[in-house]
């Protein structure tokens, strides 16, 4: 398996993986492929990584800028994250998250936020936020991972492409 940046021509395969991954989940409203496409169209995917298994897209992760208290900064939001159902529980999701976080740290970002299952994201160092909030997020499901000592305070907003998933 190779974790690599999205390249031209990957979009359809990424969309299929995202659609299939979320199709079987109770918490999805089916908008995730549109979120990925919206981020891409807006030029807002700061980082778009695919897990490439024998030339096929087996997983995808997106990172995009968030605002905190209405201000743009150097924090990013993780998601959507998706792995082909036939290839889940083989470490692909972990590899995508870890590779993404390493790149963000190297590039000097301030930190990363995520809206998701704490049972999954805790292992990467994400922890419930105190000073940062996400409107509408159930307790514990909004988590942050600062890369340095500075943690901004205020309400976080994901990119408009997230629509309802932004917590609005
Ligand atoms: C969540 C997802 C990306 C994980 O990808 P994956 O490649 O299966 O994950 P990994 O193989 O790296 O799993 C690592 C660990 O997480 C666990 N895990 C997987 N999905 C989990 C979940 N939804 N909640 C809690 N733990 C989970 C696995 O059991 C595994 O633990 P183990 O090694 O102790 O068995 C994948 O299941 C998926 O695409 N799900 C549907 C879409 C989704 O929910 N995306 C995340 C939205 S926040």
């Amino acid at each position: 398996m190779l974790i690599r940046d999205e390249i031209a021509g990957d979009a359809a395969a990424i969309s299929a993986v995202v659609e299939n991954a979320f199709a079987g989940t109770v918490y999805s409203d089916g908008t995730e492929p549109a979120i990925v496409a919206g981020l891409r169209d807006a030029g807002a995917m700061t980082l778009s990584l695919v897990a490439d298994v024998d030339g096929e897209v087996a997983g995808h992760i997106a990172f995009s800028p968030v605002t905190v208290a209405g201000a743009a900064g150097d924090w990013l939001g993780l998601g959507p994250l998706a792995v082909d159902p036939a290839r889940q529980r083989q470490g692909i999701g972990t590899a995508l998250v870890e590779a993404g976080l390493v790149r963000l740290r190297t590039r000097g970002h301030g930190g990363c936020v995520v809206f998701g299952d704490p049972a999954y994201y805790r292992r990467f160092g994400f922890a419930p936020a105190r000073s940062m909030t996400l409107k509408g997020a159930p307790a514990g499901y909004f988590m942050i991972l600062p890369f340095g000592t500075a943690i901004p305070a205020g309400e976080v907003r994901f990119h408009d492409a997230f629509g309802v998933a932004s917590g609005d």
Side-chain angles (χ1 to χ4, degrees):
M1 177 182 58
L2 168 73
I3 304 293
R4 60 166 175 80
D5 287 295
E6 175 183 345
I7 56 172
D10 281 336
I14 289 171
S15 186
V17 165
V18 174
E19 182 176 352
N20 292 338
F22 281 95
T25 67
V26 290
Y27 44 81
S28 167
D29 56 4
T31 58
E32 291 81 8
I35 293 171
V36 173
L39 290 173
R40 185 185 295 109
D41 291 349
M45 274 204 283
T46 308
L47 186 59
S48 176
L49 296 177
V50 301
D52 182 323
V53 178
D54 299 331
E56 283 182 21
V57 174
H60 177 256
I61 191 167
F63 294 89
S64 55
V66 296
T67 60
V68 186
D74 56 3
W75 279 61
L76 298 172
L78 184 164
L81 165 67
V83 172
D84 176 359
R87 292 190 160 114
Q88 289 179 6
R89 310 234 155 188
Q90 297 173 16
I92 294 175
T94 299
L96 283 165
V97 175
E98 287 179 347
L101 293 175
V102 165
R103 290 187 199 206
L104 300 188
R105 282 180 192 275
T106 306
R107 293 176 192 180
H109 288 281
C112 187
V113 304
V114 69
F115 176 45
D117 187 345
Y120 187 68
Y121 287 104
R122 231 185 336 243
R123 72 194 68 199
F124 306 108
F126 285 94
R130 289 210 179 83
S131 65
M132 297 166 87
T133 58
L134 182 72
K135 210 160 108 187
Y141 279 70
F142 177 65
M143 292 158 283
I144 70 169
L145 177 56
F147 297 150
T149 51
I151 302 177
E155 188 180 318
V156 170
R157 281 187 66 97
F158 279 75
H159 190 274
D160 285 347
F162 281 83
V164 289
S166 67
D168 285 349

